[in-house]
Amino acid sequence: MKRFIHVLLAASLLHASSASLASDNDDFLEAEKVAWSGNYKEFKRLNSQLDHPLKPYVEMAFYKRHPQLKYQTEIERFLSVYQNTPLEWPVRRAWLNYLAKRGRKADFVANYQPTSDAQLKCQYLDFQLQLGAPERAILAQVAALWVVGQSQPKQCDSLFAKWRDAGMQTPQRVWQRVGLAAREGEHHLLRYLKTLLPNNERYLADLYSAVRKDPSAAAGLYRFKNKSSKEAEIAHYGVKRLVWRDPELAIRAWTKLDNMFTFTDEQRQEINYAFAYALAVKQHDEAKFWLNKVPDAGHDKKLMQWHLANMLREQDWPGISAYFTNKTNLSNGHKYWLAYSYFRQGRAQEAQDIWLPLAQQRDYYGFLAAARLDQPVNLNSKQLMLPPGLKEKVAQAPGFKRAKRLHELKRYTSARREWNYLIDTSSEAEKLAASVLAGEQGWHDSTIFTLARIKAWDYVDLRFPDAFTDLFKRYSRRNKVDMDWSIAIARRESSFAPDARSRANARGLMQLLPSTAKYINRSTVSSRRLYEPSTNINLGTKYLKYLEGKTNGNQVLATASYNAGYHRVRKWLPDQAMPAELWIELIPYRETRDYVKNVFAYRQVYLTKQGKNENILASILDMRIGG
């Protein structure tokens, strides 16, 4: 009976606490609404009564919407108190724009803070000049605003005129800006800049524009009338673009242009790199020739990957071992394929000497090496031990409290800004404590990104949380896909942020496009529903099952298709069957190549966390793709 009473009491207290929070948030929302309306007296009354972590957001709402000189003292106090927090710039920008419109130059300068906003920068410098600041010092800062590839706000015109009248708009700077505008496709700006060139050079702006619109124009040698260094710059730019569109024409054009112009060593190195990279990606017959023209010092990670891919495609095992042997700071991928090249040459002991330590690593290549050696997977996981009281201290930080309440109100963007501010102003130990708190709140993406930011890779339980487990279990079972696969997809796609939205408009935990959701659901799915974890996981696992069926049960191809699309992946299938691990390494899109590796590595982490001894990557070693 006592236990029953205790349970009832606990439930009652929890309900009371939730009701209190809801009422608390309602008070905040009401005060914020009044602040937006502009009723100053009522805003001050409600704000004075408010005891809520988001109280400064009420002030922000009023001062951002109603910047006026009669509130100057209050606004400047607010900006001082909340400087460098997410609350500062919404108010500061509104206040500065207000002061600028009313010609309050001294007040504007006094309230200005460094910003990337070109309009505010220009106004700040111009107002300083008008207030008598040393002209030379101010105008020296203008070139960085003028020599850019886009048009600048009209508020910069007065400043730019003074800079030009002082003789600082030099022919060299005009030419610099012509190049930047052409490269960014700002043809309207380019037409203006053309008027600033000497009469005998105005054709260069048209030539730059033509090459930007159609790189094959660089192959028209008749366009380069004077064989000047500026023409060489345009030809060089055009050929670097042309090699991606028409490699054969680019090679022929460069051979002729190289004889026509005197290119600098730097320009030649850039051409060699551009050709090596583009031709390797395109699997061109001359890729190897151009790759060899780039000196070892010029082989960055990107070029090393494609040089490796070129040799893997040709199964040039001696070439791989020769290329990587004696190189320092090899990635785990390079080590794996170096060992593989030894293995294929019958040098089994040398291969094993590399694979053995690699098999202790917690990544795709480490798990592959463990599968090859038939060794257990090693997660190298650490338990996070925090100093007593540290987590409680971070939980009381204003930034954390504000982030928590913003999450409750589903204002996720503002919540993440507060979180980032908290992390930016925390020690490493506090960042770790904040990561634990975020995990407890279900803000798994904040935990994952924070630990990645401080390179705290070994706290595996925090980095790979059991998020939305009941939903993944239910819908994975219902749609007949492996749960570890679906949860690995979500971990890679969104880091378990339910409100995630990509630039391509994919949404939710498993990042579904509305068109994909509609196809799988056989009816339109609203944006709101796509952000609901249950709907998203149901449709995401259903889509995985669909792709698994389209690829005849091949989960490597289905995973690649989830990222790149099934029809694109079909085009990547070789005519003759090849080992799956080799095909993965040769996926032409870096994003998809890394995606497949990460998903299978994440699957392995989740399987091992569950206490299963299976190495999922062993299936890749036994698999062949294509043919």
Side-chain angles (χ1 to χ4, degrees), residues 234-265:
I234 297 171
H236 174 262
Y237 164 71
V239 171
K240 285 199 301 179
R241 295 190 73 233
L242 180 60
V243 70
W244 287 98
R245 185 173 296 185
D246 189 339
E248 305 295 345
L249 181 58
I251 292 169
R252 291 198 303 272
W254 175 249
T255 301
K256 294 175 182 177
L257 291 167
D258 196 18
N259 291 324
M260 179 183 291
F261 293 107
T262 303
F263 291 102
T264 66
D265 289 343

PDB file of all heavy atoms in Angstrom, residues 234-265:
ATOM      1  N   ILE A 234      42.891  34.199 -68.505  1.00  0.00           N
ATOM      2  CA  ILE A 234      41.559  33.762 -68.932  1.00  0.00           C
ATOM      3  C   ILE A 234      41.631  32.372 -69.562  1.00  0.00           C
ATOM      4  O   ILE A 234      40.788  31.509 -69.285  1.00  0.00           O
ATOM      5  CB  ILE A 234      40.954  34.779 -69.928  1.00  0.00           C
ATOM      6  CG1 ILE A 234      40.770  36.131 -69.233  1.00  0.00           C
ATOM      7  CG2 ILE A 234      39.624  34.273 -70.470  1.00  0.00           C
ATOM      8  CD1 ILE A 234      40.383  37.268 -70.171  1.00  0.00           C
ATOM      9  N   ALA A 235      42.632  32.145 -70.409  1.00  0.00           N
ATOM     10  CA  ALA A 235      42.793  30.835 -71.048  1.00  0.00           C
ATOM     11  C   ALA A 235      43.016  29.750 -70.003  1.00  0.00           C
ATOM     12  O   ALA A 235      42.438  28.658 -70.069  1.00  0.00           O
ATOM     13  CB  ALA A 235      43.964  30.876 -72.027  1.00  0.00           C
ATOM     14  N   HIS A 236      43.837  30.056 -69.027  1.00  0.00           N
ATOM     15  CA  HIS A 236      44.154  29.126 -67.938  1.00  0.00           C
ATOM     16  C   HIS A 236      42.880  28.760 -67.162  1.00  0.00           C
ATOM     17  O   HIS A 236      42.597  27.583 -66.893  1.00  0.00           O
ATOM     18  CB  HIS A 236      45.175  29.814 -67.026  1.00  0.00           C
ATOM     19  CG  HIS A 236      45.515  29.070 -65.782  1.00  0.00           C
ATOM     20  ND1 HIS A 236      44.933  29.356 -64.565  1.00  0.00           N
ATOM     21  CD2 HIS A 236      46.391  28.064 -65.563  1.00  0.00           C
ATOM     22  CE1 HIS A 236      45.426  28.559 -63.634  1.00  0.00           C
ATOM     23  NE2 HIS A 236      46.319  27.754 -64.215  1.00  0.00           N
ATOM     24  N   TYR A 237      42.086  29.780 -66.839  1.00  0.00           N
ATOM     25  CA  TYR A 237      40.816  29.556 -66.129  1.00  0.00           C
ATOM     26  C   TYR A 237      39.869  28.706 -66.975  1.00  0.00           C
ATOM     27  O   TYR A 237      39.250  27.754 -66.481  1.00  0.00           O
ATOM     28  CB  TYR A 237      40.185  30.911 -65.800  1.00  0.00           C
ATOM     29  CG  TYR A 237      38.732  30.843 -65.415  1.00  0.00           C
ATOM     30  CD1 TYR A 237      38.328  30.293 -64.197  1.00  0.00           C
ATOM     31  CD2 TYR A 237      37.737  31.337 -66.267  1.00  0.00           C
ATOM     32  CE1 TYR A 237      36.979  30.229 -63.839  1.00  0.00           C
ATOM     33  CE2 TYR A 237      36.400  31.279 -65.912  1.00  0.00           C
ATOM     34  CZ  TYR A 237      36.031  30.727 -64.709  1.00  0.00           C
ATOM     35  OH  TYR A 237      34.700  30.664 -64.366  1.00  0.00           O
ATOM     36  N   GLY A 238      39.758  29.033 -68.253  1.00  0.00           N
ATOM     37  CA  GLY A 238      38.834  28.324 -69.122  1.00  0.00           C
ATOM     38  C   GLY A 238      39.186  26.864 -69.304  1.00  0.00           C
ATOM     39  O   GLY A 238      38.304  25.987 -69.262  1.00  0.00           O
ATOM     40  N   VAL A 239      40.461  26.563 -69.485  1.00  0.00           N
ATOM     41  CA  VAL A 239      40.879  25.175 -69.700  1.00  0.00           C
ATOM     42  C   VAL A 239      40.645  24.337 -68.446  1.00  0.00           C
ATOM     43  O   VAL A 239      40.263  23.163 -68.535  1.00  0.00           O
ATOM     44  CB  VAL A 239      42.358  25.118 -70.149  1.00  0.00           C
ATOM     45  CG1 VAL A 239      42.869  23.686 -70.169  1.00  0.00           C
ATOM     46  CG2 VAL A 239      42.516  25.735 -71.529  1.00  0.00           C
ATOM     47  N   LYS A 240      40.842  24.925 -67.273  1.00  0.00           N
ATOM     48  CA  LYS A 240      40.587  24.191 -66.024  1.00  0.00           C
ATOM     49  C   LYS A 240      39.111  23.817 -65.902  1.00  0.00           C
ATOM     50  O   LYS A 240      38.777  22.777 -65.332  1.00  0.00           O
ATOM     51  CB  LYS A 240      41.009  25.028 -64.803  1.00  0.00           C
ATOM     52  CG  LYS A 240      42.512  25.082 -64.596  1.00  0.00           C
ATOM     53  CD  LYS A 240      42.876  25.490 -63.177  1.00  0.00           C
ATOM     54  CE  LYS A 240      42.322  26.838 -62.811  1.00  0.00           C
ATOM     55  NZ  LYS A 240      42.666  27.210 -61.416  1.00  0.00           N
ATOM     56  N   ARG A 241      38.220  24.655 -66.455  1.00  0.00           N
ATOM     57  CA  ARG A 241      36.796  24.320 -66.450  1.00  0.00           C
ATOM     58  C   ARG A 241      36.461  23.360 -67.583  1.00  0.00           C
ATOM     59  O   ARG A 241      35.620  22.472 -67.442  1.00  0.00           O
ATOM     60  CB  ARG A 241      35.956  25.601 -66.583  1.00  0.00           C
ATOM     61  CG  ARG A 241      36.105  26.544 -65.399  1.00  0.00           C
ATOM     62  CD  ARG A 241      35.081  27.659 -65.453  1.00  0.00           C
ATOM     63  NE  ARG A 241      33.756  27.144 -65.123  1.00  0.00           N
ATOM     64  CZ  ARG A 241      32.682  27.314 -65.880  1.00  0.00           C
ATOM     65  NH1 ARG A 241      32.773  27.949 -67.031  1.00  0.00           N
ATOM     66  NH2 ARG A 241      31.519  26.829 -65.508  1.00  0.00           N
ATOM     67  N   LEU A 242      37.114  23.536 -68.712  1.00  0.00           N
ATOM     68  CA  LEU A 242      36.803  22.731 -69.893  1.00  0.00           C
ATOM     69  C   LEU A 242      37.121  21.260 -69.692  1.00  0.00           C
ATOM     70  O   LEU A 242      36.415  20.397 -70.221  1.00  0.00           O
ATOM     71  CB  LEU A 242      37.577  23.282 -71.103  1.00  0.00           C
ATOM     72  CG  LEU A 242      37.374  22.563 -72.445  1.00  0.00           C
ATOM     73  CD1 LEU A 242      35.907  22.605 -72.864  1.00  0.00           C
ATOM     74  CD2 LEU A 242      38.261  23.200 -73.510  1.00  0.00           C
ATOM     75  N   VAL A 243      38.154  20.957 -68.901  1.00  0.00           N
ATOM     76  CA  VAL A 243      38.549  19.552 -68.745  1.00  0.00           C
ATOM     77  C   VAL A 243      37.440  18.721 -68.113  1.00  0.00           C
ATOM     78  O   VAL A 243      37.337  17.518 -68.343  1.00  0.00           O
ATOM     79  CB  VAL A 243      39.865  19.434 -67.940  1.00  0.00           C
ATOM     80  CG1 VAL A 243      39.654  19.798 -66.466  1.00  0.00           C
ATOM     81  CG2 VAL A 243      40.469  18.041 -68.074  1.00  0.00           C
ATOM     82  N   TRP A 244      36.563  19.356 -67.349  1.00  0.00           N
ATOM     83  CA  TRP A 244      35.439  18.634 -66.747  1.00  0.00           C
ATOM     84  C   TRP A 244      34.330  18.391 -67.761  1.00  0.00           C
ATOM     85  O   TRP A 244      33.608  17.405 -67.676  1.00  0.00           O
ATOM     86  CB  TRP A 244      34.881  19.412 -65.556  1.00  0.00           C
ATOM     87  CG  TRP A 244      35.796  19.364 -64.374  1.00  0.00           C
ATOM     88  CD1 TRP A 244      36.703  20.304 -63.995  1.00  0.00           C
ATOM     89  CD2 TRP A 244      35.921  18.300 -63.436  1.00  0.00           C
ATOM     90  NE1 TRP A 244      37.380  19.900 -62.877  1.00  0.00           N
ATOM     91  CE2 TRP A 244      36.918  18.669 -62.508  1.00  0.00           C
ATOM     92  CE3 TRP A 244      35.280  17.074 -63.281  1.00  0.00           C
ATOM     93  CZ2 TRP A 244      37.287  17.856 -61.443  1.00  0.00           C
ATOM     94  CZ3 TRP A 244      35.645  16.258 -62.218  1.00  0.00           C
ATOM     95  CH2 TRP A 244      36.636  16.645 -61.319  1.00  0.00           C
ATOM     96  N   ARG A 245      34.205  19.292 -68.730  1.00  0.00           N
ATOM     97  CA  ARG A 245      33.121  19.174 -69.713  1.00  0.00           C
ATOM     98  C   ARG A 245      33.540  18.363 -70.937  1.00  0.00           C
ATOM     99  O   ARG A 245      32.770  17.557 -71.448  1.00  0.00           O
ATOM    100  CB  ARG A 245      32.668  20.572 -70.145  1.00  0.00           C
ATOM    101  CG  ARG A 245      31.473  20.564 -71.075  1.00  0.00           C
ATOM    102  CD  ARG A 245      30.962  21.969 -71.347  1.00  0.00           C
ATOM    103  NE  ARG A 245      30.455  22.625 -70.142  1.00  0.00           N
ATOM    104  CZ  ARG A 245      29.864  23.810 -70.136  1.00  0.00           C
ATOM    105  NH1 ARG A 245      29.697  24.470 -71.285  1.00  0.00           N
ATOM    106  NH2 ARG A 245      29.426  24.350 -69.014  1.00  0.00           N
ATOM    107  N   ASP A 246      34.741  18.605 -71.428  1.00  0.00           N
ATOM    108  CA  ASP A 246      35.209  17.938 -72.651  1.00  0.00           C
ATOM    109  C   ASP A 246      36.709  17.681 -72.518  1.00  0.00           C
ATOM    110  O   ASP A 246      37.523  18.484 -72.984  1.00  0.00           O
ATOM    111  CB  ASP A 246      34.907  18.818 -73.871  1.00  0.00           C
ATOM    112  CG  ASP A 246      35.171  18.109 -75.193  1.00  0.00           C
ATOM    113  OD1 ASP A 246      35.945  17.127 -75.208  1.00  0.00           O
ATOM    114  OD2 ASP A 246      34.612  18.554 -76.221  1.00  0.00           O
ATOM    115  N   PRO A 247      37.099  16.576 -71.892  1.00  0.00           N
ATOM    116  CA  PRO A 247      38.525  16.315 -71.644  1.00  0.00           C
ATOM    117  C   PRO A 247      39.373  16.314 -72.913  1.00  0.00           C
ATOM    118  O   PRO A 247      40.491  16.862 -72.908  1.00  0.00           O
ATOM    119  CB  PRO A 247      38.515  14.936 -70.982  1.00  0.00           C
ATOM    120  CG  PRO A 247      37.158  14.792 -70.398  1.00  0.00           C
ATOM    121  CD  PRO A 247      36.249  15.524 -71.311  1.00  0.00           C
ATOM    122  N   GLU A 248      38.886  15.715 -73.981  1.00  0.00           N
ATOM    123  CA  GLU A 248      39.680  15.634 -75.213  1.00  0.00           C
ATOM    124  C   GLU A 248      39.980  17.026 -75.755  1.00  0.00           C
ATOM    125  O   GLU A 248      41.125  17.337 -76.124  1.00  0.00           O
ATOM    126  CB  GLU A 248      38.927  14.815 -76.274  1.00  0.00           C
ATOM    127  CG  GLU A 248      38.496  13.430 -75.833  1.00  0.00           C
ATOM    128  CD  GLU A 248      39.681  12.510 -75.543  1.00  0.00           C
ATOM    129  OE1 GLU A 248      40.804  12.850 -75.944  1.00  0.00           O
ATOM    130  OE2 GLU A 248      39.476  11.465 -74.893  1.00  0.00           O
ATOM    131  N   LEU A 249      38.947  17.874 -75.806  1.00  0.00           N
ATOM    132  CA  LEU A 249      39.140  19.234 -76.301  1.00  0.00           C
ATOM    133  C   LEU A 249      40.067  20.017 -75.380  1.00  0.00           C
ATOM    134  O   LEU A 249      40.909  20.791 -75.844  1.00  0.00           O
ATOM    135  CB  LEU A 249      37.787  19.940 -76.417  1.00  0.00           C
ATOM    136  CG  LEU A 249      37.815  21.386 -76.942  1.00  0.00           C
ATOM    137  CD1 LEU A 249      38.453  21.445 -78.318  1.00  0.00           C
ATOM    138  CD2 LEU A 249      36.389  21.967 -76.966  1.00  0.00           C
ATOM    139  N   ALA A 250      39.934  19.804 -74.073  1.00  0.00           N
ATOM    140  CA  ALA A 250      40.784  20.513 -73.110  1.00  0.00           C
ATOM    141  C   ALA A 250      42.250  20.145 -73.299  1.00  0.00           C
ATOM    142  O   ALA A 250      43.132  21.012 -73.260  1.00  0.00           O
ATOM    143  CB  ALA A 250      40.341  20.193 -71.688  1.00  0.00           C
ATOM    144  N   ILE A 251      42.521  18.867 -73.516  1.00  0.00           N
ATOM    145  CA  ILE A 251      43.913  18.422 -73.714  1.00  0.00           C
ATOM    146  C   ILE A 251      44.491  19.049 -74.980  1.00  0.00           C
ATOM    147  O   ILE A 251      45.624  19.556 -74.986  1.00  0.00           O
ATOM    148  CB  ILE A 251      43.974  16.883 -73.770  1.00  0.00           C
ATOM    149  CG1 ILE A 251      43.639  16.298 -72.386  1.00  0.00           C
ATOM    150  CG2 ILE A 251      45.352  16.410 -74.219  1.00  0.00           C
ATOM    151  CD1 ILE A 251      43.417  14.796 -72.392  1.00  0.00           C
ATOM    152  N   ARG A 252      43.704  19.028 -76.078  1.00  0.00           N
ATOM    153  CA  ARG A 252      44.191  19.610 -77.338  1.00  0.00           C
ATOM    154  C   ARG A 252      44.393  21.118 -77.189  1.00  0.00           C
ATOM    155  O   ARG A 252      45.407  21.671 -77.651  1.00  0.00           O
ATOM    156  CB  ARG A 252      43.191  19.338 -78.463  1.00  0.00           C
ATOM    157  CG  ARG A 252      43.086  17.882 -78.876  1.00  0.00           C
ATOM    158  CD  ARG A 252      42.425  17.737 -80.245  1.00  0.00           C
ATOM    159  NE  ARG A 252      41.103  18.341 -80.295  1.00  0.00           N
ATOM    160  CZ  ARG A 252      39.972  17.710 -79.964  1.00  0.00           C
ATOM    161  NH1 ARG A 252      40.003  16.445 -79.548  1.00  0.00           N
ATOM    162  NH2 ARG A 252      38.798  18.332 -80.044  1.00  0.00           N
ATOM    163  N   ALA A 253      43.429  21.782 -76.508  1.00  0.00           N
ATOM    164  CA  ALA A 253      43.526  23.233 -76.344  1.00  0.00           C
ATOM    165  C   ALA A 253      44.745  23.611 -75.513  1.00  0.00           C
ATOM    166  O   ALA A 253      45.474  24.557 -75.854  1.00  0.00           O
ATOM    167  CB  ALA A 253      42.254  23.770 -75.695  1.00  0.00           C
ATOM    168  N   TRP A 254      44.986  22.861 -74.435  1.00  0.00           N
ATOM    169  CA  TRP A 254      46.111  23.196 -73.571  1.00  0.00           C
ATOM    170  C   TRP A 254      47.439  23.027 -74.303  1.00  0.00           C
ATOM    171  O   TRP A 254      48.357  23.843 -74.143  1.00  0.00           O
ATOM    172  CB  TRP A 254      46.099  22.354 -72.306  1.00  0.00           C
ATOM    173  CG  TRP A 254      47.317  22.597 -71.447  1.00  0.00           C
ATOM    174  CD1 TRP A 254      48.343  21.749 -71.195  1.00  0.00           C
ATOM    175  CD2 TRP A 254      47.640  23.822 -70.782  1.00  0.00           C
ATOM    176  NE1 TRP A 254      49.289  22.349 -70.394  1.00  0.00           N
ATOM    177  CE2 TRP A 254      48.881  23.625 -70.125  1.00  0.00           C
ATOM    178  CE3 TRP A 254      47.006  25.048 -70.659  1.00  0.00           C
ATOM    179  CZ2 TRP A 254      49.492  24.619 -69.371  1.00  0.00           C
ATOM    180  CZ3 TRP A 254      47.619  26.052 -69.903  1.00  0.00           C
ATOM    181  CH2 TRP A 254      48.840  25.824 -69.265  1.00  0.00           C
ATOM    182  N   THR A 255      47.553  22.011 -75.133  1.00  0.00           N
ATOM    183  CA  THR A 255      48.789  21.797 -75.891  1.00  0.00           C
ATOM    184  C   THR A 255      49.106  23.020 -76.742  1.00  0.00           C
ATOM    185  O   THR A 255      50.262  23.467 -76.816  1.00  0.00           O
ATOM    186  CB  THR A 255      48.651  20.547 -76.784  1.00  0.00           C
ATOM    187  OG1 THR A 255      48.368  19.417 -75.956  1.00  0.00           O
ATOM    188  CG2 THR A 255      49.927  20.287 -77.565  1.00  0.00           C
ATOM    189  N   LYS A 256      48.069  23.588 -77.368  1.00  0.00           N
ATOM    190  CA  LYS A 256      48.286  24.761 -78.225  1.00  0.00           C
ATOM    191  C   LYS A 256      48.489  26.030 -77.402  1.00  0.00           C
ATOM    192  O   LYS A 256      49.347  26.866 -77.720  1.00  0.00           O
ATOM    193  CB  LYS A 256      47.099  24.927 -79.170  1.00  0.00           C
ATOM    194  CG  LYS A 256      46.966  23.786 -80.173  1.00  0.00           C
ATOM    195  CD  LYS A 256      45.704  23.924 -80.997  1.00  0.00           C
ATOM    196  CE  LYS A 256      45.563  22.745 -81.964  1.00  0.00           C
ATOM    197  NZ  LYS A 256      44.289  22.815 -82.742  1.00  0.00           N
ATOM    198  N   LEU A 257      47.696  26.189 -76.356  1.00  0.00           N
ATOM    199  CA  LEU A 257      47.821  27.386 -75.521  1.00  0.00           C
ATOM    200  C   LEU A 257      49.173  27.444 -74.815  1.00  0.00           C
ATOM    201  O   LEU A 257      49.732  28.526 -74.609  1.00  0.00           O
ATOM    202  CB  LEU A 257      46.693  27.422 -74.490  1.00  0.00           C
ATOM    203  CG  LEU A 257      45.289  27.677 -75.044  1.00  0.00           C
ATOM    204  CD1 LEU A 257      44.231  27.372 -73.984  1.00  0.00           C
ATOM    205  CD2 LEU A 257      45.140  29.122 -75.521  1.00  0.00           C
ATOM    206  N   ASP A 258      49.686  26.279 -74.464  1.00  0.00           N
ATOM    207  CA  ASP A 258      50.979  26.217 -73.787  1.00  0.00           C
ATOM    208  C   ASP A 258      52.092  26.741 -74.685  1.00  0.00           C
ATOM    209  O   ASP A 258      53.091  27.287 -74.210  1.00  0.00           O
ATOM    210  CB  ASP A 258      51.262  24.770 -73.370  1.00  0.00           C
ATOM    211  CG  ASP A 258      52.377  24.690 -72.342  1.00  0.00           C
ATOM    212  OD1 ASP A 258      52.686  25.726 -71.721  1.00  0.00           O
ATOM    213  OD2 ASP A 258      52.932  23.604 -72.149  1.00  0.00           O
ATOM    214  N   ASN A 259      51.915  26.579 -75.983  1.00  0.00           N
ATOM    215  CA  ASN A 259      52.902  27.108 -76.930  1.00  0.00           C
ATOM    216  C   ASN A 259      52.664  28.586 -77.231  1.00  0.00           C
ATOM    217  O   ASN A 259      53.577  29.305 -77.627  1.00  0.00           O
ATOM    218  CB  ASN A 259      52.846  26.314 -78.242  1.00  0.00           C
ATOM    219  CG  ASN A 259      53.362  24.902 -78.078  1.00  0.00           C
ATOM    220  OD1 ASN A 259      54.299  24.673 -77.321  1.00  0.00           O
ATOM    221  ND2 ASN A 259      52.743  23.945 -78.762  1.00  0.00           N
ATOM    222  N   MET A 260      51.418  29.031 -77.030  1.00  0.00           N
ATOM    223  CA  MET A 260      51.060  30.413 -77.356  1.00  0.00           C
ATOM    224  C   MET A 260      51.461  31.388 -76.254  1.00  0.00           C
ATOM    225  O   MET A 260      51.908  32.510 -76.526  1.00  0.00           O
ATOM    226  CB  MET A 260      49.541  30.493 -77.586  1.00  0.00           C
ATOM    227  CG  MET A 260      49.046  31.889 -77.912  1.00  0.00           C
ATOM    228  SD  MET A 260      47.231  31.960 -78.076  1.00  0.00           S
ATOM    229  CE  MET A 260      47.012  31.045 -79.581  1.00  0.00           C
ATOM    230  N   PHE A 261      51.304  30.947 -74.980  1.00  0.00           N
ATOM    231  CA  PHE A 261      51.539  31.842 -73.846  1.00  0.00           C
ATOM    232  C   PHE A 261      52.747  31.392 -73.024  1.00  0.00           C
ATOM    233  O   PHE A 261      53.137  30.216 -73.055  1.00  0.00           O
ATOM    234  CB  PHE A 261      50.320  31.869 -72.926  1.00  0.00           C
ATOM    235  CG  PHE A 261      49.100  32.490 -73.539  1.00  0.00           C
ATOM    236  CD1 PHE A 261      48.022  31.704 -73.927  1.00  0.00           C
ATOM    237  CD2 PHE A 261      49.012  33.867 -73.717  1.00  0.00           C
ATOM    238  CE1 PHE A 261      46.887  32.267 -74.474  1.00  0.00           C
ATOM    239  CE2 PHE A 261      47.877  34.440 -74.265  1.00  0.00           C
ATOM    240  CZ  PHE A 261      46.812  33.648 -74.652  1.00  0.00           C
ATOM    241  N   THR A 262      53.261  32.336 -72.266  1.00  0.00           N
ATOM    242  CA  THR A 262      54.299  32.011 -71.287  1.00  0.00           C
ATOM    243  C   THR A 262      53.621  31.933 -69.918  1.00  0.00           C
ATOM    244  O   THR A 262      53.427  32.946 -69.238  1.00  0.00           O
ATOM    245  CB  THR A 262      55.398  33.081 -71.270  1.00  0.00           C
ATOM    246  OG1 THR A 262      55.949  33.207 -72.586  1.00  0.00           O
ATOM    247  CG2 THR A 262      56.509  32.701 -70.280  1.00  0.00           C
ATOM    248  N   PHE A 263      53.213  30.739 -69.553  1.00  0.00           N
ATOM    249  CA  PHE A 263      52.535  30.550 -68.270  1.00  0.00           C
ATOM    250  C   PHE A 263      53.551  30.492 -67.135  1.00  0.00           C
ATOM    251  O   PHE A 263      54.693  30.047 -67.319  1.00  0.00           O
ATOM    252  CB  PHE A 263      51.703  29.269 -68.291  1.00  0.00           C
ATOM    253  CG  PHE A 263      50.505  29.324 -69.183  1.00  0.00           C
ATOM    254  CD1 PHE A 263      50.510  28.719 -70.435  1.00  0.00           C
ATOM    255  CD2 PHE A 263      49.361  30.006 -68.785  1.00  0.00           C
ATOM    256  CE1 PHE A 263      49.398  28.781 -71.263  1.00  0.00           C
ATOM    257  CE2 PHE A 263      48.244  30.074 -69.601  1.00  0.00           C
ATOM    258  CZ  PHE A 263      48.266  29.466 -70.843  1.00  0.00           C
ATOM    259  N   THR A 264      53.111  30.914 -65.950  1.00  0.00           N
ATOM    260  CA  THR A 264      53.980  30.838 -64.770  1.00  0.00           C
ATOM    261  C   THR A 264      54.058  29.391 -64.292  1.00  0.00           C
ATOM    262  O   THR A 264      53.210  28.552 -64.634  1.00  0.00           O
ATOM    263  CB  THR A 264      53.434  31.718 -63.635  1.00  0.00           C
ATOM    264  OG1 THR A 264      52.179  31.171 -63.191  1.00  0.00           O
ATOM    265  CG2 THR A 264      53.227  33.159 -64.097  1.00  0.00           C
ATOM    266  N   ASP A 265      55.052  29.105 -63.469  1.00  0.00           N
ATOM    267  CA  ASP A 265      55.176  27.754 -62.892  1.00  0.00           C
ATOM    268  C   ASP A 265      53.930  27.408 -62.073  1.00  0.00           C
ATOM    269  O   ASP A 265      53.458  26.266 -62.108  1.00  0.00           O
ATOM    270  CB  ASP A 265      56.417  27.667 -62.000  1.00  0.00           C
ATOM    271  CG  ASP A 265      57.705  27.683 -62.810  1.00  0.00           C
ATOM    272  OD1 ASP A 265      57.641  27.432 -64.038  1.00  0.00           O
ATOM    273  OD2 ASP A 265      58.769  27.938 -62.215  1.00  0.00           O
TER     274      ASP A 265
END
